[in-house]
Amino acid sequence: MKSFLQEVVDDLLASHHNIDDLILVLPSKRAGTFLRTAIAKTANKNFFAPKIFSIESFVEQISHLNAATNTEQLFYLYETYLQTGSGEKDNFSTFAKWGQTLLQDFNEIDRYLIDPKDIFSYLTDIQEITHWSLAEEKSDMVQNYMKFWNNLGTLYHSFNELLLAKDLGHQGLIYRNACKHLDDYISETADKTHVFIGFNALNSAESFIIQQILSKTQADIYWDSDPYFLDDPIHDAGYFIRQHLNTWPALKGQPLKGVKANYLSKKKINIIGVPKNVSQTKYVGHLISEIHEKDPKAIKNTALVLGDETLLNPMLNAIPAEIDSVNITMGYPLKNTPLASLFSQYLNLHLKKESQGWYYQQVSDFLSHPFIQLFLTENEEDTALVISTAIKQNNWAFVSPQKLATLSKVNPSLVELLFFKEDANATAFLDRCLLLIQNLKGKLQDTNDALGLEYLYKFFTIFNQLQEMVEKHSYINDLKSLECLYLDLLRSETLDFQGEPLQGLQIMGMLESRTLDFETVILTSVNEGILPSGKSNNSFIPFDLKKLYRLPTYKEKDAVYTYHFYRLLQRAKNIYLVYNTEPDVLEGGEKSRLLTQLQTDENIMADITEKIAAPAISTATKTLQTIEKDLGLMDLIKAHAAKGFSPTSLSNYIRNPLDFYKRNLLGIENVVEVEETVAANTFGTIVHDTLEDLYKPYVNGFLSEEILKNMQAKIKPTVLKHFAKSYADGDISRGKNLLAFNVVLRYVENFIRIELKEVKNHKIKILGIEENLKISLSIPGIAFPVTLKGKLDRIDEKDGVVRIIDYKTGKVQSNQVEIIDWEDIVQDYTYSKAFQLLCYAIMYNTTRPIDTIEAGIFSFKNLNAGLLSFATKEKKGYGPKDVSITQETVALFMNALQELITEICNSNIPLTEKEV
């Protein structure tokens, strides 16, 4: 296969004796690199290389203007905006949101050589017709709205004049200026021959420049297309070249150079549907591996074109290890580097700082960043861990500089650099960013992190740029405006990959493929919304006005994508077109119309193979985990038995032996987290502690109405005291916590109210409150000590009957404390509440033998049900039940309990996971 550029070089060498007098103009710099290489390989004698320009640098040379960066343009436009018209002006951060759109429109008006006075007048008239106010006297809002549109023409002229005074220009201004200076340029280069290579869609300025040079000088133009597209009057791949052929006088009656019939040559076209984006990259990695395995040399003539350039990172990770040479034409976006997230988090931290300090979650996320952990580690002391631990232990929902100052084992200067007291302006914040960079530089040099230092250098240059801008422009004085600037710079910055541009696998974006040909082409993300990009009208100029002035709309953009798509296919022999079968808003739409168009083309249909690829999915069968009781585990069980089984630990075993193993034997508790709102366990602790304080003074005494009324007066201060104790540094003055505080108050008040009703008709004596009990158990077959322990919330006597009472702040139903079959109590977690009550009864009976007692639960979410008493029943449903706990009941439960503990302590019975 002979590439388009090689064909051009052959023709140039054959038709020009000295090609060092040529000026070659191509669509991109990359195309120029390939062209220069083709000339060097083909030439059979020594000569000076011709001048090779990309179209942008060529037009820049004619115009005598330098291109202003996007950020510079935004600044100069804002300065012009402040001086244009009267009335209230937007601040820079608000302006930046619509200023970018205005820059694009100004750029387009100039590139297409539109009369600005005409189009702005038209635009104002349209807005006058379409604004929403029908009143004769316009409101201030409507007047301001119309003033904006009336001022656009003035703003455009003032902005361009400001740029010209500084010898700068946006792309459109450079193109318009080049058209004005074109005659001077033509006379200066009269002895040169211009050759334009590989162009397709041209704006009005480019079209004017090329036509003038073609008609007034020795010049030539080569088109990279195929007669198959040009001869078809409706095929979008030939749309623009057909327009040029019909409208350019210089092309009338002349054959089009460069146009060759390659498209219908024999090809292998594979259309592959793959679910989701990452799967596409994995599939392409597999594809490249197969190509390399068949013919390692084929990789040198293979292009991987990313329809969606955001897939670069996962694509790089999917390239097989055996591919030793890869050239990436696009830079790696700086916004995807770890340092970008660091500075974004740092900026956000101070933008969202509240009067109470920084929200703990933001601080925790910031401290967990790898670069911050590196920054805050000194002499093996991890300051980030110290702060994170303090936040959790002290339950800081908001972190203030004052709270951080109370911490020991932290370096105050490092902490103050990140978490400063004063509200920083843009200058102060940038100074801190540069200090942070300097500190990180030393740390990365110590660890020889070359890539990290490369990232750091890029951010050092960005923050120096920002500092210059902030010093030059006084209106950038707040962090919000700084954020706009920072994000704008970050979007445009890339890290360049180092490598040989002409060797190995070529990874590129769609635009970089212009004029380049490869035998094997792999194109990804061939979906609607990506290829072609679809409708997106980010412009102040409405569609009908664009049509009138022949400005490009989505229709022309679709034709551009169609050209690039088919141009890639023209000379290729092996083509792989990969699309996402699972369309969504973020990852593109359905299969591209370009694929459907290919599949319905009778002339190429036979070369197409279509398939759907999906990763092999193996269903993992969940096997319940089993842990054998070796000597180490038996030692843990013995230690736990000696320390004491609690009703809760035994309930954990009944629910799932693995829970018992992790929590009660290994001591793995839930991760300590900041309680923004009162957690369920904290809620329960506050209720228990409040009732303990209220009832403790009356142990061994009878309750009376007077006592309970005295308690009612103490409820609120007692609840407040225990909130302060259990909900460390938590704010209960607002939000859900205020609701939780009032719920606790209501629970306790309702409970005391029920007690008041009870003492009117019954004699209630308090025997114990929050009483710790511990007994030894003698179990046949177990040769080591076994203890049962627990804390009884309340023991009282009602009309002579002793009651063991447990408080639950959750909801408990009566069927959870009623037993039919004694086996259920040690096998079914549903009866865990009844199990706990009977454990308390056994412990109480061992210390104070009983004849008959009762046990029950007060459920604070079900207080209307009263005391939910333990009971035995003969069958489910309604019927007689026995609430008495006698020695017979104790004996029956003791047998069940011994069986349970024997199972736990038996080394031959493994701990087997239960499905929960």
Side-chain angles (χ1 to χ4, degrees):
M1 176 202 76
K2 187 180 280 191
S3 70
F4 167 69
L5 290 180
Q6 187 61 56
E7 288 173 356
V8 171
V9 169
D10 289 348
D11 193 56
L12 289 175
L13 290 173
S15 56
H16 293 83
H17 182 66
N18 289 319
I19 69 167
D20 50 344
D21 287 335
L22 300 181
I23 295 175
L24 309 179
V25 185
L26 295 104
S28 67
K29 287 181 181 178
R30 181 163 185 74
T33 304
F34 275 77
L35 181 67
R36 189 177 288 108
T37 305
I39 292 170
K41 283 183 178 178
T42 310
N44 53 12
K45 61 179 180 178
N46 294 332
F47 53 79
F48 288 106
K51 289 182 178 178
I52 300 175
F53 293 99
S54 68
I55 185 67
E56 285 88 0
S57 55
F58 177 66
V59 174
E60 226 175 281
Q61 188 186 34
I62 298 172
S63 72
H64 304 300
L65 293 176
N66 296 313
T69 65
N70 187 65
T71 309
E72 284 177 321
Q73 290 176 44
L74 197 61
F75 273 121
Y76 291 133
L77 183 61
Y78 186 62
E79 283 180 18
T80 312
Y81 163 72
L82 291 177
Q83 293 162 12
T84 305
S86 56
E88 189 178 344
K89 300 289 184 179
D90 288 344
N91 60 32
F92 184 78
S93 59
T94 306
F95 164 82
K97 293 170 186 173
W98 57 266
Q100 292 284 9
T101 305
L102 200 57
L103 279 175
Q104 288 173 29
D105 285 343
F106 286 176
N107 183 31
E108 209 159 71
I109 287 166
D110 280 340
R111 286 195 307 139
Y112 283 83
L113 306 177
I114 308 295
D115 179 359
K117 183 181 178 183
D118 195 24
I119 194 169
F120 287 125
S121 171
Y122 211 139
L123 195 55
T124 304
D125 291 343
I126 289 172
Q127 300 306 323
E128 185 68 58
I129 292 167
T130 58
H131 74 70
W132 62 92
S133 177
L134 298 175
E136 284 188 28
E137 292 221 3
K138 296 185 179 73
S139 66
D140 289 345
M141 182 182 287
V142 173
Q143 285 179 6
N144 288 333
Y145 176 75
M146 289 311 304
K147 193 183 291 182
F148 170 80
W149 294 103
N150 285 319
N151 285 337
L152 278 185
T154 309
L155 183 59
Y156 163 84
H157 288 293
S158 301
F159 172 57
N160 279 359
E161 284 167 10
L162 178 63
L163 289 177
L164 288 170
K166 298 176 182 291
D167 290 329
L168 293 173
H170 51 79
Q171 191 190 57
L173 183 59
I174 290 170
Y175 275 59
R176 192 185 280 273
N177 218 48
C179 293
K180 290 178 184 175
H181 292 88
L182 185 57
D183 287 340
D184 295 339
Y185 172 78
I186 288 173
S187 61
E188 288 168 9
T189 56
D191 58 334
K192 301 285 185 184
T193 300
H194 291 78
V195 181
F196 298 94
I197 303 167
F199 288 96
N200 174 48
L202 299 168
N203 59 52
S204 301
E206 288 169 339
S207 179
F208 175 79
I209 290 166
I210 293 173
Q211 285 190 73
Q212 288 294 305
I213 291 174
L214 284 174
S215 61
K216 294 182 179 179
T217 71
Q218 288 290 319
D220 224 334
I221 186 163
Y222 290 83
W223 304 97
D224 187 4
S225 190
D226 193 288
Y228 187 77
F229 310 128
L230 298 179
D231 296 342
D232 185 342
I234 60 170
H235 204 300
D236 275 356
Y239 174 77
F240 291 105
I241 298 178
R242 284 196 304 271
Q243 272 194 342
H244 304 326
L245 196 56
N246 293 330
T247 57
W248 289 16
L251 298 181
K252 294 288 184 185
Q254 299 294 324
L256 293 178
K257 287 192 175 183
V259 175
K260 290 281 179 73
N262 293 299
Y263 179 66
L264 294 180
S265 62
K266 189 64 180 171
K267 304 177 189 302
K268 288 182 182 177
I269 301 175
N270 298 277
I271 297 175
I272 307 114
V274 183
K276 308 304 281 184
N277 278 344
V278 173
S279 293
Q280 285 189 75
T281 62
K282 297 290 182 190
Y283 178 80
V284 169
H286 172 70
L287 197 58
I288 291 168
S289 185
E290 284 185 344
I291 294 168
H292 182 266
E293 196 175 317
K294 285 179 186 174
D295 181 8
K297 291 180 181 177
I299 291 294
K300 292 180 181 177
N301 207 357
T302 299
L304 170 52
V305 182
L306 299 180
D308 179 2
E309 294 184 17
T310 61
L311 292 186
L312 177 61
N313 196 26
M315 192 68 254
L316 291 177
N317 287 303
I319 298 293
E322 60 265 27
I323 307 300
D324 55 2
S325 182
V326 177
N327 179 56
I328 303 160
T329 65
M330 58 196 112
Y332 187 75
L334 201 60
K335 64 182 180 181
N336 292 347
T337 63
L339 267 175
S341 63
L342 165 67
F343 289 109
S344 294
Q345 282 182 297
Y346 189 29
L347 195 52
N348 259 314
L349 193 71
H350 291 283
L351 272 170
K352 294 181 179 178
K353 184 182 177 184
E354 298 189 29
S355 55
Q356 311 102 294
W358 298 280
Y359 181 54
Y360 85 93
Q361 192 64 61
Q362 262 196 302
V363 175
S364 298
D365 291 346
F366 183 56
L367 291 173
S368 66
H369 196 285
F371 280 106
I372 289 299
Q373 293 194 334
L374 179 68
F375 172 72
L376 289 175
T377 302
E378 275 198 335
N379 304 321
E380 297 185 359
E381 283 288 334
D382 189 348
T383 299
L385 181 62
V386 172
I387 298 171
S388 295
T389 305
I391 289 170
K392 291 171 184 175
Q393 287 180 346
N394 298 314
N395 206 44
W396 291 342
F398 287 91
V399 182
S400 65
Q402 292 77 15
K403 287 177 180 175
L404 291 173
T406 62
L407 301 177
S408 56
K409 293 187 179 179
V410 298
N411 184 329
S413 61
L414 294 183
V415 173
E416 203 279 326
L417 179 60
L418 300 177
F419 304 99
F420 39 91
K421 294 177 185 178
E422 67 280 359
D423 292 332
N425 57 27
T427 307
F429 185 81
L430 288 171
D431 288 340
R432 288 175 182 277
C433 287
L434 289 168
L435 276 172
L436 179 56
I437 287 171
Q438 289 297 339
N439 197 295
L440 281 171
K441 178 187 172 187
K443 302 263 186 182
L444 293 173
Q445 284 174 334
D446 292 343
T447 56
N448 294 318
D449 186 347
L451 186 59
L453 286 166
E454 189 68 31
Y455 294 156
L456 207 59
Y457 175 73
K458 273 286 187 181
F459 278 94
F460 179 70
T461 58
I462 281 179
F463 285 117
N464 274 314
Q465 276 180 271
L466 286 169
Q467 206 166 40
E468 284 178 27
M469 292 172 188
V470 168
E471 286 171 5
K472 196 183 292 184
H473 308 284
S474 59
Y475 44 81
I476 310 294
N477 53 9
D478 62 300
L479 291 188
K480 194 69 188 167
S481 298
L482 181 65
E483 183 189 35
C484 289
L485 267 183
Y486 167 72
L487 293 175
D488 186 58
L489 278 175
L490 196 61
R491 272 191 292 268
S492 60
E493 287 290 332
T494 56
L495 279 168
D496 295 328
F497 291 96
Q498 292 183 346
E500 173 51 53
L502 304 172
Q503 288 185 3
L505 174 69
Q506 301 286 320
I507 300 178
M508 60 184 69
M510 199 68 172
L511 290 179
E512 277 116 11
S513 70
R514 287 175 294 183
T515 74
L516 307 183
D517 295 298
F518 301 90
E519 282 197 3
T520 302
V521 171
I522 303 168
L523 178 58
T524 66
S525 304
V526 191
N527 287 78
E528 288 294 318
I530 299 172
L531 288 175
S533 61
K535 296 180 183 180
S536 59
N537 188 30
N538 188 22
S539 170
F540 287 122
I541 305 170
F543 180 82
D544 53 351
L545 201 56
K546 285 194 170 193
K547 289 291 286 181
L548 177 67
Y549 285 98
R550 297 185 179 179
L551 291 169
T553 64
Y554 66 86
K555 290 185 176 181
E556 283 71 29
K557 288 175 185 173
D558 284 357
V560 169
Y561 278 102
T562 305
Y563 170 79
H564 290 318
F565 175 78
Y566 279 98
R567 203 214 61 76
L568 267 174
L569 273 53
Q570 276 175 211
R571 294 175 179 81
K573 292 180 180 177
N574 302 299
I575 299 153
Y576 301 90
L577 305 172
V578 186
Y579 69 93
N580 180 2
T581 59
E582 308 297 316
D584 63 33
V585 176
L586 296 176
E587 297 180 352
E590 63 189 5
K591 183 170 81 170
S592 173
R593 73 193 80 163
L594 299 174
L595 296 181
T596 308
Q597 191 175 8
L598 264 184
Q599 290 172 305
T600 53
D601 188 338
E602 293 176 355
N603 296 308
I604 206 158
M605 200 185 288
D607 296 336
I608 297 174
T609 305
E610 185 176 13
K611 61 181 176 181
I612 301 295
I617 299 171
S618 54
T619 54
T621 307
K622 179 169 170 56
T623 53
L624 297 177
Q625 193 176 350
T626 299
I627 299 171
E628 297 294 335
K629 293 174 184 168
D630 57 14
L631 291 175
L633 184 49
M634 283 308 299
D635 287 343
L636 286 174
I637 291 171
K638 288 174 185 178
H640 187 73
K643 186 180 176 183
F645 288 107
S646 68
T648 303
S649 69
L650 292 170
S651 294
N652 284 341
Y653 183 85
I654 293 168
R655 181 177 183 272
N656 187 357
L658 248 64
D659 285 350
F660 170 78
Y661 170 69
K662 291 173 183 175
R663 292 185 186 180
N664 304 108
L665 297 182
L666 298 181
I668 300 171
E669 295 296 333
N670 292 332
V671 178
V672 178
E673 291 182 346
V674 174
E675 289 181 34
E676 278 186 86
T677 55
V678 182
N681 58 342
T682 306
F683 195 93
T685 302
I686 293 167
V687 171
H688 277 74
D689 290 350
T690 299
L691 291 174
E692 181 183 3
D693 274 11
L694 293 175
Y695 279 91
K696 201 80 171 176
Y698 308 107
V699 172
N700 295 322
F702 286 93
L703 293 179
S704 65
E705 288 187 57
E706 184 184 350
I707 287 170
L708 291 166
K709 284 176 179 175
N710 285 338
M711 282 187 195
Q712 284 178 321
K714 297 175 184 174
I715 291 172
K716 189 169 183 177
T718 309
V719 170
L720 275 170
K721 181 179 88 172
H722 288 293
F723 254 100
K725 173 186 162 189
S726 298
Y727 188 49
D729 285 4
D731 180 12
I732 61 166
S733 64
R734 58 182 183 165
K736 290 182 180 179
N737 291 337
L738 179 59
L739 291 174
F741 170 73
N742 282 290
V743 168
V744 172
L745 274 182
R746 184 66 60 85
Y747 276 179
V748 178
E749 286 169 356
N750 289 345
F751 180 73
I752 300 297
R753 205 172 290 123
I754 288 171
E755 293 277 81
L756 270 168
K757 288 180 185 176
E758 287 282 293
V759 296
K760 287 178 182 177
N761 303 312
H762 304 280
K763 293 183 72 176
I764 298 175
K765 182 180 181 182
I766 303 297
L767 301 178
I769 294 291
E770 299 293 335
E771 193 169 311
N772 286 305
L773 294 179
K774 191 171 187 178
I775 62 168
S776 295
L777 298 176
S778 177
I779 301 175
I782 298 179
F784 49 84
V786 177
T787 306
L788 185 65
K789 65 176 183 178
K791 182 186 273 191
L792 280 64
D793 291 344
R794 169 169 157 176
I795 308 161
D796 69 10
E797 186 181 285
K798 179 182 177 183
D799 297 334
V801 178
V802 174
R803 300 187 303 175
I804 294 170
I805 294 172
D806 197 26
Y807 301 135
K808 297 291 182 191
T809 48
K811 187 163 187 175
V812 181
Q813 304 282 9
S814 59
N815 61 357
Q816 292 174 270
V817 291
E818 295 172 357
I819 294 297
I820 298 163
D821 188 339
W822 281 99
E823 282 187 3
D824 289 343
I825 203 163
V826 291
Q827 291 178 3
D828 190 344
Y829 184 73
T830 306
Y831 299 104
S832 61
K833 306 294 186 292
F835 178 86
Q836 289 182 19
L837 290 174
L838 289 174
C839 283
Y840 296 144
I842 284 178
M843 288 186 274
Y844 186 79
N845 178 57
T846 305
T847 55
R848 284 157 272 187
I850 61 165
D851 290 325
T852 301
I853 63 170
E854 292 178 9
I857 289 173
F858 273 116
S859 169
F860 283 85
K861 281 192 176 176
N862 193 14
L863 270 180
N864 289 336
L867 183 69
L868 302 171
S869 296
F870 166 81
T872 53
K873 294 165 66 174
E874 289 185 2
K875 60 181 181 179
K876 286 185 178 181
Y878 295 104
K881 50 188 175 185
D882 184 5
V883 297
S884 300
I885 297 174
T886 62
Q887 288 297 336
E888 183 187 355
T889 314
V890 169
L892 286 167
F893 178 67
M894 181 61 84
N895 288 337
L897 182 64
Q898 286 181 353
E899 282 180 23
L900 179 67
I901 294 176
T902 301
E903 182 183 311
I904 293 171
C905 297
N906 188 337
S907 60
N908 296 319
I909 301 175
L911 295 173
T912 304
E913 183 182 8
K914 285 184 184 177
E915 284 193 21
V916 179

